[in-house]
Amino acid sequence: SIKNPPQNPPPRPPPEMRRKRV
Amino acid sequence: GPIILETYRVVADFVKTSKNEINLHSGDLVEIVEKSQNGWWFCQCESKHGWVPASYLEPLDGPEEAEDVEPNYEGELYITINAYKAEQEDEISLDMGETTEVIHKLLDGWWVARKGEEVGYFPSMYLQKCGKKEKY
């Protein structure tokens, strides 16, 4: 069903978001 | 009463990789229906709905990621239920069945894990808390 989340890990955060974490 | 869904803004384009995901375009607004701890969030966007990576979204009300918990440097013991080989410099490779200490749980589904002197990001969906009787 569509309610089941994907079985693969999500992608790592895009570069835009990684900068915020620094 | 009506269900109020949280609105998030898409920060980068995302191309779906499996059928239950949806494509995202930078600047789109999406409403979040469910937040899974593994970093996939179920969202609706106009007439579409499906899973998207949490790390591609930021809250509409502010860029702060306020919901992440603080690091816990003592660590919590987890066991890996799947092997993962690091693809980037800041990730850690672990085989299936290894114990590891999780020191930071991030909402994007990539947790900071420690094994001996090595520290790096590891997919939270491949981790199960030690001592917890859950089948996988």
Side-chain angles (χ1 to χ4, degrees):
Chain A
S1 126
I2 193 168
K3 289 297 279 180
N4 294 327
Q7 296 303 301
N8 51 309
R12 291 291 304 283
E16 294 89 324
M17 292 308 271
R18 284 188 210 184
R19 274 202 301 273
K20 283 184 190 172
R21 291 237 164 100
V22 176
Chain B
I3 297 168
I4 310 290
L5 297 173
E6 283 178 89
T7 303
Y8 280 73
R9 185 188 292 110
V10 175
V11 296
D13 291 346
F14 168 69
V15 179
K16 62 188 268 186
T17 55
S18 70
K19 64 180 165 65
N20 291 354
E21 300 164 32
I22 57 172
N23 293 322
L24 296 176
H25 301 286
S26 185
D28 281 354
L29 297 182
V30 298
E31 290 184 310
I32 302 302
V33 179
E34 185 185 331
K35 293 178 176 178
S36 167
Q37 207 182 30
N38 63 25
W40 289 109
W41 288 3
F42 194 80
C43 80
Q44 55 187 46
C45 174
E46 293 164 8
S47 60
K48 296 179 294 182
H49 53 272
W51 296 91
V52 299
S55 61
Y56 281 61
L57 307 173
E58 66 178 7
L60 198 56
D61 297 330
E64 297 292 315
E65 287 256 8
E67 293 162 87
D68 277 338
V69 294
E70 291 297 305
N72 165 13
Y73 295 107
E74 277 182 28
E76 271 182 75
L77 273 186
Y78 277 77
I79 187 162
T80 56
I81 56 172
N82 231 320
Y84 176 76
K85 196 172 182 323
E87 290 177 1
Q88 296 187 38
E89 277 180 6
D90 59 356
E91 298 174 2
I92 186 170
S93 298
L94 295 169
D95 287 327
M96 189 172 116
E98 285 199 81
T99 49
T100 181
E101 293 164 310
V102 170
I103 57 178
H104 201 182
K105 295 176 181 178
L106 294 151
L107 292 172
D108 62 26
W110 289 85
W111 290 358
V112 183
R114 182 170 61 200
K115 177 86 184 180
E117 295 193 343
E118 225 187 318
V119 175
Y121 288 97
F122 195 82
S124 69
M125 66 161 55
Y126 292 164
L127 294 167
Q128 182 180 261
K129 195 148 191 190
C130 278
K132 208 173 172 185
K133 284 182 185 166
E134 275 180 4
K135 59 177 180 178
Y136 51 87

